[in-house]
Amino acid sequence: MSNAFDLDVWVKEARKEPFRFTLSGLVFTMPAAGELDKKILKAVNVDTPSATDIETLLKHGLGDQWKQFDEIPAPLAALGELFRQWQKHEGTPLGESSASADS
């Protein structure tokens, strides 16, 4: 019997519903923010994301849908709100976890 923590099982059981939103009448779908691959951590500052970091995260989240999404005009404030709603869907802001210490 193994006492090793099985991360594969945890990932499978922790899957959340995709995040869906509309823009200009089109429906876009992204995975829950916490399901992005860990390689994104090398490209962005998840603790205090800049506008460029938010764009990078949205690009990764939208994947093949990014080009279509990017062609639709939207105010910067809308992108910030989209990012906040995506995090809210996850239940925990990026850069934090249930194991994070309270300030």
Side-chain angles (χ1 to χ4, degrees), residues 11-12 14-18 30-38 86 90 94:
V11 168
K12 184 178 177 184
R15 295 269 181 215
K16 293 193 175 219
E17 288 294 314
M30 297 191 290
E35 292 189 10
L36 292 178
D37 190 270
K38 63 180 174 54
W86 188 29
E90 179 71 20
L94 289 172

Side-chain angles (χ1 to χ4, degrees), residues 57-73:
L57 288 163
L58 291 173
K59 280 182 184 179
H60 278 79
L62 285 163
D64 294 339
Q65 302 168 93
W66 173 256
K67 184 177 179 191
Q68 184 179 26
F69 174 82
D70 194 39
E71 292 173 353
I72 301 170

Side-chain angles (χ1 to χ4, degrees), residues 25-62:
L26 299 172
V27 177
F28 294 90
T29 304
M30 297 191 290
E35 292 189 10
L36 292 178
D37 190 270
K38 63 180 174 54
K39 68 183 173 192
I40 193 73
L41 295 174
K42 294 178 183 174
V44 298
N45 179 347
V46 294
D47 292 324
T48 54
S50 68
T52 301
D53 292 335
I54 290 171
E55 181 181 56
T56 299
L57 288 163
L58 291 173
K59 280 182 184 179
H60 278 79
L62 285 163

Side-chain angles (χ1 to χ4, degrees), residues 78-89:
L79 293 183
E81 185 59 27
L82 173 60
F83 185 69
R84 281 187 290 281
Q85 292 299 318
W86 188 29
Q87 288 180 302
K88 184 178 176 183
H89 171 77

